[in-house]
Amino acid sequence: MAIALDSVVQLVQLLLVLALAPLLTGYVRRVKARLLRRQGPPLIQPYRDLYRLLRKEVVLAHTASWVFRVAPYLIFATTWVAAALVPTFASGLVFSYAADMIVIVALLGSARFMLALAGLDVGTSFGGIGSSREMMIASLAEPAMLMVVFTLSLLAGSTQLSSIAAFMQGPGIGLRVSLALALVGLIMVALAENARIPVDNPATHLELTMVHEAMILEYSGRHLALIEAASYLKLLLYLSVVACVFVPLGIAEAGQGPTAYLAALAVYVAKLAAGGFLLAVFETAIAKMRVFRVSDFLGAALMLGFLATLLLFVSRVA
Amino acid sequence: MALEALLWCVAALLGTSVAAVAAARHRAASAPVYGVALCASSAAMLVAGWSLVTAGPLASALLLPVGLPWLGAHFRLDALAAFFLLVVNLGGATASLYGLGYGRHEEAPARVLPFFPAFLAGMNLVVLADDAFTFLFTWEFMSLSSWALVMAHHRRPGNAAAGYIYLLMASFGTLALLLAFGLLAGPAGGYAFDAIRDSAPSASVSGTVLALALVGAGSKAGLVPLHVWLPLAHPAAPSHVSALMSGVMTKVAVYGFVRVVFDLLGEPSWWWGALVPFLGGVTAVMGVLYALMEHDLKRLLAYHTVENIGIIFIGLGLALAFQANDMQGAAALALTAALFHVFNHSVFKSLLFFGAGAVLVRTGERDMEHLGGLIQRMPYTAFAFLIGSAAISALPPFNGFVSEWLTFQAILLSPALPQWSLKFLVPAIGALLALSAALAAACFVKAFGVTFLGRPRSQVARDATEADAWSLAAMFVLVALCLVAGILPGYFIDALSPVTQALVGAHVPRQEERSWLMIVPIAESRSSYNGLLLFAFIALAALSATYVIHRWASAATRRSPPWDCGFPDASPLTQYTAGSFSQPIRKVFGSVVFRAREEVHIPAPGDAGPRRFHVSLRDVPWDVLYVPTASFVNFTARHLNKVQFLTIRAYLSLVFAALVVLLIVLAIWQ
Amino acid sequence: MDQLALDVAHMFAGGLVLVSFMLLYQDRMTGIVNIFALHALVVSLSVAWQAYIQHAPHLYITAAIALVVKAIVIPVALHRIIVRLGIHRTIEPVVGIGLTMLAGIGLVALSIMVMLPITAEAGTLAREDLAFALSVILLGLLMMISRRNAVSQVIGFMSIENGLILAATGAKGMPLVVEISVAFSILIALIVIGIFLFRIRERFDSVDIHLLHEHRGEQP
């Protein structure tokens, strides 16, 4: 019986992340527009975009293979599963012990692998640009993320996100330098992975500035809808990770009952709103870097993560 | 019992090899040779697997009255040997299966058929050997038979040079191992491994033996900077032999290292646990960076082998570090991770080489820049290569991810190590491992994307057809293994526990009792992974999304020319090439590691000459280590050559001088 | 409370190392001066916190000096020098930012490896502050040698002094007179360097070290 109830809660989380993701992106876009003194699209515009795209027919290039057709489903599935593994309103859910933070990073890597292949599939130069730049960014962002994961795991004694969240809520933390460095590194990686300014511009289709958009240039219809949904989910995932690790107050333990869950859900939505607002302010405040400066940026993130791990290796004795 | 069965399989392979010398001229000789090799390898694999899985202190030994008269030939089957025999014969069986189809296209069967079973036999014997002489003899036999296979197409440009360098490095490695065994046997001269196990060498002797084993086994495995022969020799051989050399022979070298260092040497010192992971980390990153700069498909795969050997040595080194500090459980975890990666790598590297071989046979091209669009023409090969690429890039739910995950867990246990330099080195190695994993994914996006996806860049790519059934069967067996080992890793980890128990005295907790087939390598509160559930969830999510969308949204599809931002271009030359794909990474990493420089020569406006784009790379180990050594050897040889051309009087004076010197020495020594 | 005090001090020291890395990462002149102002601000906050937890009121004056002189006066002066000299260029590092930052990490590891075993008897706070202070000093030196530009060398030199202040306050006990003399000497050094920069600029129309190097030495 308990297993059945836990599975229901896990299913609720699975559907919740899918439902909230487009809302988060709509909110970020609206805040950005307001900061630029524009009206901005309505908050539910991403839902409308998805609905519109899902109903349209797919236009496939003659040279597109089955990889092109299957990739959106796999990208969406892996990103959705990864997003469902991050504790949002409750930690310690049934599924969360099947995979830890390293698995989440690797699942996002799978999604990126399929996306890069889809970019190369049609045989145009735009897809190639996006794929090669994306793999360069990933070759630095993924190790930086793994170093941040190492830092958190060394502190918490576990790679499970639920255990890390529980540890962060506990008393034994204090303010640690490694955590601050890990936070900065995580934010830099999140900006790069979600194709946000200063790494990539999600609102433009110019060749000079595209990375993510270049890979999905040939997609249309329901395929494009799935890929857009996957990118919304990815943003939600990263914000949830930052929220559950660095601002863990208000996360309910598994099995605490529906009232606790609802309260934790309200706290979670508030955290997402705050995070989205800060993201929008940051994106509006700075300019995009040129592509080869991104490697310096992510190299700095890797160094920060490495430094954080190094300091932890050292000061555990001191 | 099992040992005798294995030796009979080896005898069958040797017999086939002898028979093939005579029969190779016949047209239909390849099928029976590969068939017998397949049967013998499969039998050996089953015997080895069965003896590994049935627990119990299996260590049966045998003494054959061949070889040196006072020594004989000792053979032994213990858990470590059983595991490596499983790996070797799995590779051998799949390569023979592949060869049944591929061998029909062989242009010089008389040069390949006799040596292929001999190579398999040699590898099996190395793993079974239980004394130094048998080990070295079979090691050389393995090297020579693979050298003969590398030289099979010796008229092709570059193959003769590749064979020569291979022979040099193999001899150098054997010399190092000879010295290592000499030191181990000590003044008493006990060359049997049992005698060596009982003797306890001093710390300085152990350290020297470790260094010699690293050089000897490491050069065969491909540790930087001893890797230079690998990307030359592996691609030169026929494709199923390349798969064996890359996927299996490098593992035999790893076996040699494990046997000498973990079994024969006894207690490790802590600095071994600093040196070996450091070499492993450097090898991993250098290997994948080399691979990213390559456009030849088989050379890319050979360089990738170097990277994975680096990952294996990282695990082995961590095991040494933990063992030196009496942390047996952690050592068992690191060793399990390394050995699991040995198995995984042999599986997916063989798969990738089979795919590359199929492409080579069908198109005659190894250069990715002339391929493309093969997914429509060779769909099954493309699918198998895709699974292999995903597995080698450590993507869940395949097997490559599980061994990398276990290695990361071992790295996360290392803050407990007391030595300061280890405290700093291990996070650096973790960063290097993460970097190499990310770069490997980039490399295989390039390899698969440029070769199979896109539009064909040449006529041979347009005319390619699917590979034959035997090759496809071999590839799909390995595809299934990649998935099974990724989804059900618990069984494989349990199979490795007798090996680690024998070597470090502990084993990872048994996984078979875990619920839902989860693996928990250390403790439940710490980390856990469930490949099956993950795979099921991903499949469920993808299938339900497909069903929901196709049922309630839209399933319509229409074909059209590519959008390409409104710039349709009929020429396939406008799509991204391998060089352009790796250009950002070459700019970021290669400008530091390889001194990569790009020169663009654009003629003046109005000049109809071509624009030229020139990339120059420098291979630092080659320029710094090998070229000076070679020139030094040439210099010495040139000057010593003068001794050949002296007059008779000069020779007599030399004899006289030698006599006088010896008498003086005798006088002083009295 | 004690743990919190330790952690906050630790946070400031680590923050100083982080800002030193940010100095290494910058490639614009104005950016370097602004980040240096942040560097001085973090040092003054750190010294003020040390004054609070060590109950040493004279350190408040040190903090105030650091804040006023180094976080406000000197950056404003440097901005004006930059405007007067007319240089707004980017600063090229000698070996590339990635390698420079990798060297920086190596230096941090080195200073930790040196400092922590040596000071095994001292208190935790002092040990870690000393290790971080040595890192800041080494990173300042790295900045001086890895840039081609005279202004960035000046900034590197001053960040070394910030590291020294961190070390001195962390080790409990830096008399005010030492701080005043050190601060004044830094100010004088800055004035002298500023004058020299003007002269160099007048003479050679540039402050690029590489160019200057070619002009030194014998006249043909």
Side-chain angles (χ1 to χ4, degrees):
Chain A
M1 187 55 211
I3 287 281
L5 213 59
D6 284 338
S7 314
V8 168
V9 176
Q10 178 69 68
L11 192 64
V12 166
Q13 157 140 347
L14 206 67
L15 295 171
L16 181 76
V17 292
L18 188 58
L20 277 181
L23 184 61
L24 176 67
T25 305
Y27 172 71
V28 171
R29 284 183 193 160
R30 180 124 178 151
V31 173
K32 268 170 80 169
R34 283 297 169 89
L35 285 170
L36 294 172
R37 300 191 61 179
R38 292 189 285 121
Q39 271 286 65
L43 280 177
I44 58 167
Q45 185 61 33
Y47 293 102
R48 287 181 176 162
D49 286 337
L50 287 178
Y51 180 62
R52 171 178 54 94
L53 284 171
L54 281 172
R55 291 180 311 141
K56 285 183 177 260
E57 79 174 341
V58 159
V59 178
L60 283 176
H62 290 307
T63 49
S65 65
W66 63 264
V67 169
F68 192 79
R69 298 174 71 163
V70 167
Y73 297 99
L74 285 177
I75 294 168
F76 175 71
T78 43
T79 317
W80 191 19
V81 167
L85 285 168
V86 178
T88 54
F89 59 89
S91 68
L93 291 177
V94 163
F95 186 35
S96 66
Y97 289 106
D100 58 2
M101 274 216 81
I102 303 179
V103 177
I104 291 178
V105 173
L107 278 174
L108 292 174
S110 301
R112 182 177 32 239
F113 188 79
M114 292 307 299
L115 190 60
L117 283 181
L120 283 174
D121 189 47
V122 182
T124 62
S125 43
F126 279 103
I129 293 177
S131 299
S132 72
R133 286 179 183 172
E134 175 72 20
M135 296 320 286
M136 173 197 71
I137 291 176
S139 68
L140 287 167
E142 209 179 282
M145 182 75 184
L146 277 172
M147 296 317 296
V148 170
V149 169
F150 280 6
T151 310
L152 296 172
S153 321
L154 285 173
L155 265 178
S158 163
T159 46
Q160 297 283 354
L161 258 181
S162 308
S163 314
I164 296 177
F167 179 78
M168 292 295 180
Q169 281 180 303
I173 303 278
L175 296 165
R176 305 192 68 128
V177 181
S178 305
L179 276 181
L181 292 176
L183 177 62
V184 175
L186 182 58
I187 290 178
M188 289 166 92
V189 169
L191 287 171
E193 290 269 3
N194 287 297
R196 295 275 144 191
I197 296 179
V199 174
D200 184 12
N201 193 337
T204 179
H205 283 75
L206 295 173
E207 172 195 327
L208 282 176
T209 60
M210 293 199 277
V211 176
H212 182 80
E213 297 294 322
M215 286 188 284
I216 62 174
L217 196 63
E218 299 287 334
Y219 274 117
S220 52
R222 57 184 182 273
H223 295 163
L224 186 58
L226 282 170
I227 293 185
E228 291 285 327
S231 63
Y232 302 156
L233 278 168
K234 209 166 165 182
L235 182 62
L236 184 82
L237 188 156
Y238 273 97
L239 275 181
S240 303
V241 168
V242 173
C244 110
V245 171
F246 293 100
V247 195
L249 354 125
I251 296 188
E253 298 282 321
Q256 269 183 356
T259 35
Y261 288 155
L262 281 172
L265 184 60
V267 174
Y268 173 65
V269 172
K271 287 189 219 172
L272 280 185
F277 183 78
L278 287 171
L279 174 65
V281 168
F282 184 71
E283 279 203 273
T284 319
I286 66 173
K288 185 185 168 318
M289 300 186 231
R290 60 187 182 90
V291 171
F292 287 109
R293 199 66 185 134
V294 174
S295 56
D296 289 338
F297 179 73
L298 286 172
L302 177 58
M303 294 302 156
L304 281 178
F306 182 48
L307 190 60
T309 314
L310 204 64
L311 288 177
L312 268 187
F313 260 74
V314 162
S315 59
R316 284 184 122 212
V317 176
Chain B
M1 179 59 219
L3 183 54
E4 283 89 351
L6 287 162
L7 285 172
W8 276 115
C9 293
V10 170
L13 284 169
L14 285 171
T16 320
S17 138
V18 169
V21 172
R25 251 156 267 131
H26 296 284
R27 272 273 79 196
S30 82
V33 168
Y34 287 120
V36 173
L38 173 63
C39 296
S41 304
S42 314
M45 173 177 74
L46 289 170
V47 170
W50 173 83
S51 49
L52 182 65
V53 166
T54 56
L58 33 93
S60 48
L62 192 63
L63 177 59
L64 285 182
V66 295
L68 296 176
W70 62 91
L71 191 56
H74 294 83
F75 294 105
R76 190 162 180 258
L77 179 67
D78 59 0
L80 180 66
F83 172 69
F84 274 93
L85 279 174
L86 178 66
V87 170
V88 166
N89 286 302
L90 177 65
T94 43
S96 312
L97 183 59
Y98 185 80
L100 279 171
Y102 180 84
R104 288 186 222 140
H105 304 277
E106 184 56 61
E107 58 202 30
R111 288 177 166 269
V112 173
L113 286 178
F115 298 106
F116 182 81
F119 184 35
L120 290 178
M123 287 196 284
N124 276 298
L125 283 174
V126 171
V127 178
L128 282 171
D130 195 39
D131 68 77
F133 179 73
T134 315
F135 186 90
L136 286 171
F137 181 79
T138 49
W139 183 274
E140 273 296 277
F141 182 65
M142 176 180 79
S143 307
L144 282 175
S145 45
S146 51
W147 173 80
L149 288 165
V150 165
M151 296 291 278
H153 302 142
H154 65 119
R155 293 203 194 282
R156 292 218 193 122
N159 280 9
Y164 178 63
I165 294 180
Y166 178 34
L167 208 57
L168 266 179
M169 296 299 296
S171 316
F172 177 66
T174 312
L175 174 67
L177 281 177
L178 185 68
L179 291 173
F181 282 120
L183 276 176
L184 277 176
Y191 284 101
F193 281 179
D194 284 328
I196 297 179
R197 269 180 214 114
D198 291 331
S199 76
S202 70
S204 54
V205 169
S206 302
T208 322
V209 171
L210 174 85
L212 286 169
L214 264 179
V215 168
S219 71
K220 184 73 101 208
L223 281 181
V224 166
L226 301 164
H227 66 286
V228 286
W229 63 274
L230 222 146
L232 295 171
H234 284 194
S239 304
H240 51 321
V241 177
S242 307
L244 277 180
M245 287 174 76
S246 249
V248 179
M249 192 172 74
T250 49
K251 308 303 171 303
V252 175
V254 170
Y255 162 79
F257 181 78
V258 172
R259 177 65 79 186
V260 169
V261 174
F262 280 89
D263 195 15
L264 298 179
L265 266 184
E267 271 304 305
S269 321
W270 70 266
W271 62 268
W272 301 6
L275 178 64
V276 177
F278 174 70
L279 277 178
V282 168
T283 306
V285 175
M286 291 292 293
V288 73
L289 283 174
Y290 276 121
L292 271 162
M293 306 291 131
E294 277 295 328
H295 306 320
D296 180 329
L297 196 53
K298 284 172 86 169
R299 276 182 82 149
L300 183 145
L301 291 174
Y303 273 121
H304 235 277
T305 305
V306 172
E307 182 224 349
N308 282 285
I309 292 292
I311 296 177
I312 293 172
F313 272 88
I314 287 177
L316 291 175
L318 281 176
L320 283 174
F322 288 130
Q323 213 190 349
N325 288 299
D326 289 321
M327 295 162 65
Q328 256 75 14
L333 177 63
L335 193 58
T336 309
L339 292 177
F340 196 24
H341 201 74
V342 162
F343 176 78
N344 288 338
H345 179 244
S346 70
V347 170
F348 44 67
K349 191 41 69 73
S350 306
L351 171 59
L352 288 167
F353 264 106
F354 292 161
V359 167
L360 177 59
V361 160
R362 292 299 165 182
T363 62
E365 270 295 341
R366 263 162 46 182
D367 191 348
M368 281 191 276
E369 308 273 31
H370 298 143
L371 296 171
L374 291 177
I375 192 170
Q376 267 107 7
R377 291 146 182 91
M378 307 173 70
Y380 296 108
T381 312
F383 178 72
F385 200 92
L386 177 63
I387 301 293
S389 309
I392 202 172
S393 311
L395 301 178
F398 296 106
N399 53 355
F401 174 70
V402 184
S403 46
E404 291 232 2
W405 186 79
L406 286 172
T407 317
F408 281 134
Q409 295 294 336
I411 289 178
L412 285 171
L413 282 176
S414 20
L417 291 168
Q419 288 90 4
W420 278 101
S421 44
L422 284 178
K423 273 189 195 304
F424 283 102
L425 196 59
V426 177
I429 287 170
L432 285 177
L433 185 61
L435 188 62
S436 73
L439 285 169
C443 185
F444 275 92
V445 167
K446 175 180 109 165
F448 183 74
V450 173
T451 311
F452 288 95
L453 300 178
R455 293 176 280 166
R457 293 179 181 82
S458 67
Q459 191 61 40
V460 288
R462 252 171 255 136
D463 296 337
T465 52
E466 183 58 87
D468 60 84
W470 295 107
S471 314
L472 287 176
M475 286 195 261
F476 277 93
V477 163
L478 292 172
V479 163
L481 260 181
C482 279
L483 192 60
V484 165
I487 299 181
L488 304 172
Y491 297 114
F492 292 84
I493 294 178
D494 282 344
L496 284 171
S497 50
V499 184
T500 56
Q501 184 72 41
L503 289 178
V504 297
H507 60 88
V508 170
R510 303 284 303 183
Q511 307 295 328
E512 57 201 356
E513 308 103 34
R514 299 284 170 201
S515 56
W516 295 93
L517 298 172
M518 197 176 294
I519 57 168
V520 178
I522 307 161
E524 265 207 31
S525 58
R526 211 178 150 104
S527 54
S528 55
Y529 172 69
N530 194 325
L532 185 61
L533 258 185
L534 201 68
F535 176 67
F537 266 101
I538 295 176
L540 207 63
L543 289 171
S544 54
T546 317
Y547 176 72
V548 165
I549 291 176
H550 280 246
R551 179 83 167 69
W552 279 292
S554 148
T557 312
R558 173 164 64 94
R559 289 275 177 176
S560 83
W563 157 237
D564 208 7
C565 247
F567 293 106
D569 200 318
S571 163
L573 291 175
T574 56
Q575 61 183 335
Y576 246 50
T577 62
S580 33
F581 189 89
S582 51
Q583 190 247 4
I585 295 186
R586 186 172 63 227
K587 222 168 160 171
V588 171
F589 294 99
S591 53
V592 169
V593 175
F594 298 120
R595 306 277 183 87
R597 298 283 175 262
E598 296 171 353
E599 290 150 26
V600 184
H601 171 70
I602 302 180
D607 187 352
R611 301 181 175 191
R612 295 198 186 281
F613 177 72
H614 184 74
V615 176
S616 62
L617 297 168
R618 239 188 96 195
D619 188 350
V620 178
W622 183 260
D623 288 340
V624 166
L625 203 58
Y626 290 90
V627 170
T629 315
S631 32
F632 173 71
V633 167
N634 277 335
F635 172 81
T636 323
R638 230 185 0 256
H639 287 272
L640 283 178
N641 201 26
K642 296 191 186 125
V643 179
Q644 299 274 22
F645 301 107
L646 301 174
T647 62
I648 294 185
R649 197 183 63 85
Y651 285 129
L652 287 174
S653 346
L654 274 179
V655 171
F656 177 67
L659 189 59
V660 168
V661 164
L662 283 173
L663 286 173
I664 293 177
V665 165
L666 202 59
I668 297 177
W669 214 354
Q670 287 286 1
Chain C
M1 179 54 206
D2 205 25
Q3 188 59 34
L4 181 67
L6 216 73
D7 281 338
V8 172
H10 207 51
M11 180 69 70
F12 281 130
L16 200 64
V17 174
L18 183 63
V19 179
S20 295
F21 268 106
M22 284 167 71
L23 270 176
L24 276 178
Y25 179 74
Q26 279 299 315
D27 65 346
R28 288 183 300 171
M29 198 84 71
T30 46
I32 282 190
V33 175
N34 291 337
I35 303 277
F36 174 69
L38 182 64
H39 204 259
L41 178 68
V42 174
V43 151
S44 61
L45 284 175
S46 164
V47 173
W49 182 256
Q50 291 290 343
Y52 175 60
I53 59 174
Q54 289 177 23
H55 308 291
H58 64 273
L59 286 179
Y60 283 119
I61 306 183
T62 311
I65 291 180
L67 186 67
V68 169
V69 173
K70 289 212 226 130
I72 300 178
V73 170
I74 291 186
V76 167
L78 277 174
H79 271 298
R80 290 176 66 177
I81 290 179
I82 289 173
V83 169
R84 291 269 288 273
L85 288 180
I87 12 171
H88 290 279
R89 285 182 310 185
T90 59
I91 301 178
E92 307 148 27
V94 173
V95 276
I97 286 187
L99 266 188
T100 318
M101 296 199 65
L102 199 60
I105 293 268
L107 288 173
V108 172
L110 179 67
S111 42
I112 292 178
M113 238 162 70
V114 163
M115 272 303 185
L116 282 185
I118 288 181
T119 56
E121 314 84 32
T124 323
L125 177 62
R127 291 178 78 194
E128 302 205 357
D129 266 3
L130 280 173
F132 283 144
L134 184 59
S135 322
V136 172
I137 293 172
L138 287 175
L139 286 173
L141 276 171
L142 181 66
M143 188 178 165
M144 284 176 78
I145 65 173
S146 70
R147 296 278 188 276
R148 294 181 193 277
N149 190 287
V151 173
S152 51
Q153 291 186 344
V154 167
I155 300 273
F157 175 63
M158 290 194 287
S159 69
I160 291 178
E161 209 252 338
N162 284 346
L164 285 170
I165 293 180
L166 182 70
T169 52
K172 265 195 190 123
M174 189 165 104
L176 191 58
V177 73
V178 173
E179 161 58 23
I180 290 184
S181 56
V182 170
F184 267 109
S185 62
I186 294 289
L187 196 57
I188 306 258
L190 184 70
I191 295 174
V192 170
I193 292 172
I195 295 177
F196 266 114
L197 279 176
F198 266 110
R199 299 285 299 182
I200 294 169
R201 175 74 164 92
E202 267 174 24
R203 193 83 210 271
F204 298 108
D205 277 334
S206 157
V207 289
D208 189 342
I209 302 290
H210 209 58
L211 273 173
L212 295 181
H213 188 75
E214 285 165 24
H215 283 101
R216 70 155 212 192
E218 316 79 42
Q219 298 290 330

